[in-house]
Amino acid sequence: MTVRVGYFPHNNSLFVLRHTGILERRLPDVEWVDLRNLPSKPPVDPTNALPTLHSDWLFEDGGYDVIGTGFTPPITGLAHDRDLVYIGISGPRVENGRLVVKAESGIDAVEDLRGKRVGIAHGSWQTTLLLFALDRAGLTWSDIVPVDTDVRGGGGELVSGTIDAWVGAYPGLAEIEAEHALRTLVETDGLFSHPSLWFTRRAFAENNAEQLRAVVEALQESDAWIEAHTREAAQFFVDDVERRGGTASLDAWEAALRGRPFGIHPVTDEFLDEQQHAADLLLANGLLPRSIRVRDAVVPEIGELVTADRAAV
């Protein structure tokens, strides 16, 4: 059977796997689906909703069977009645990004963001980081003005003054840091673990155990390759940006990849507690349509599979 794997640069592991040929050795009929080429969905209002793109395409024609994203999309999918299940998680990515302002902004703490425009790549980990930071400071989502920005473009908006604060991520954050003085309001470290994660449809997991095992094994092998050949892996990202008419620094991409954990782990109670806390806060702040129980998306057999494959690697 053909297994459809979704990918895009923001999930580094799947993006590199797309270019190595490692999965094809296990699944010759794999079909790669670039999320950026799928039809776009109508934008949502970041004050009261979350985009459902990543989970939607697990269940719609022309989409995929497996996907990897940041922290928030599986929560969103579950709240929209998508019967998805976790495959695994990465280690903490606490060096990946943080909440920043311009040094001369006069904004010294999260409490000063009341009424301010805050840029986020809405719907992924940036939304969760900002919400966790606001909650810790005694603020709510309605106390700020969330602005949905491109992961890289948000830096330009911060510099121009279009937004007052930005949840930036590397390597885009490095470009802004090199030219402008920034103040960090919140580090990711100490706020939440911010892993990458992978998920699928429950029906796919239940009916295609061998294919799912092949994907996990290939990701483990490819991630080990990234750690041993980081600059070569970084070149895939630079080439992609240049094919699309942009420019990118190989050194910046290499540094970004070296700062990230690779390898897939089974979901843990600590991770699930973070997911549940995020889901509860998203609901309380009007961003989810209903309450969820994230542990309903855990399949013990998948955890055993991931654990066995980690031991094999």
Side-chain angles (χ1 to χ4, degrees):
M1 65 169 288
T2 298
V3 175
R4 300 166 301 160
V5 179
Y7 76 101
F8 64 141
H10 302 313
N11 186 276
N12 303 150
S13 295
L14 282 172
F15 189 79
V16 172
L17 182 61
R18 168 66 181 91
H19 293 87
T20 60
I22 289 172
L23 181 56
E24 285 79 353
R25 295 202 298 269
R26 292 175 171 84
L27 293 175
D29 293 332
V30 64
E31 178 183 338
W32 291 97
V33 180
D34 189 334
L35 272 67
R36 299 167 297 178
N37 295 336
L38 293 173
S40 60
K41 302 280 184 175
V44 303
D45 182 346
T47 66
N48 58 27
L50 287 163
T52 60
L53 176 74
H54 296 115
S55 56
D56 286 347
W57 286 114
L58 278 171
F59 298 86
E60 296 180 6
D61 291 342
Y64 39 74
D65 301 306
V66 173
I67 188 59
T69 68
F71 193 83
T72 314
I75 297 171
T76 309
L78 290 167
H80 285 83
D81 299 314
R82 297 301 198 184
D83 193 11
L84 58 87
V85 295
Y86 300 105
I87 297 172
I89 59 175
S90 76
R93 293 187 299 162
V94 294
E95 301 302 323
N96 182 225
R98 59 193 191 279
L99 176 59
V100 299
V101 296
K102 290 190 291 186
E104 70 274 17
S105 67
I107 299 172
D108 298 317
V110 175
E111 290 82 355
D112 298 330
L113 292 178
R114 189 184 298 272
K116 303 295 186 182
R117 294 170 59 84
V118 185
I120 48 174
H122 187 49
S124 194
W125 67 272
Q126 290 92 338
T127 300
T128 297
L129 182 145
L130 178 57
L131 189 55
F132 279 5
L134 292 171
D135 182 64
R136 191 169 70 179
L139 301 179
T140 68
W141 200 248
S142 61
D143 288 323
I144 56 102
V145 180
V147 179
D148 193 2
T149 66
D150 177 76
V151 174
R152 294 171 66 87
E157 295 181 49
L158 179 68
V159 170
S160 70
T162 305
I163 58 176
D164 302 294
W166 176 47
V167 181
Y170 292 103
L173 180 55
E175 298 172 4
I176 304 303
E177 289 177 317
E179 301 291 336
H180 302 276
L182 301 180
R183 174 180 294 115
T184 297
L185 294 187
V186 174
E187 298 277 5
T188 303
D189 194 9
L191 188 63
F192 82 124
S193 63
H194 175 30
S196 291
L197 51 86
W198 296 265
F199 52 101
T200 185
R201 299 184 304 280
R202 185 181 301 274
F204 179 83
E206 290 177 346
N207 298 318
N208 301 279
E210 289 307 309
Q211 287 82 5
L212 183 57
R213 178 185 298 278
V215 172
V216 171
E217 289 175 347
L219 276 167
Q220 299 283 30
E221 181 180 344
S222 181
D223 272 12
W225 182 88
I226 294 171
E227 291 184 308
H229 304 87
T230 310
R231 193 166 184 84
E232 292 173 59
Q235 189 67 54
F236 294 139
F237 295 89
V238 173
D239 292 345
D240 179 75
V241 171
E242 293 178 348
R243 277 195 300 269
R244 292 172 174 269
T247 59
S249 163
L250 181 60
D251 289 341
W253 264 110
E254 181 181 9
L257 294 181
R258 290 194 185 281
R260 293 173 190 172
F262 289 98
I264 306 175
H265 306 262
V267 296
T268 63
D269 284 336
E270 292 78 10
F271 163 76
L272 294 168
D273 288 344
E274 279 190 326
Q275 286 267 284
Q276 190 64 58
H277 180 46
D280 294 344
L281 279 178
L282 289 165
L283 178 69
N285 284 270
L287 292 167
L288 289 185
R290 69 174 183 89
S291 63
I292 62 169
R293 183 178 182 275
V294 300
R295 281 174 169 79
D296 291 341
V298 176
V299 176
E301 291 80 5
I302 296 178
E304 294 167 6
L305 181 156
V306 174
T307 299
D309 286 338
R310 279 195 60 79
V313 172

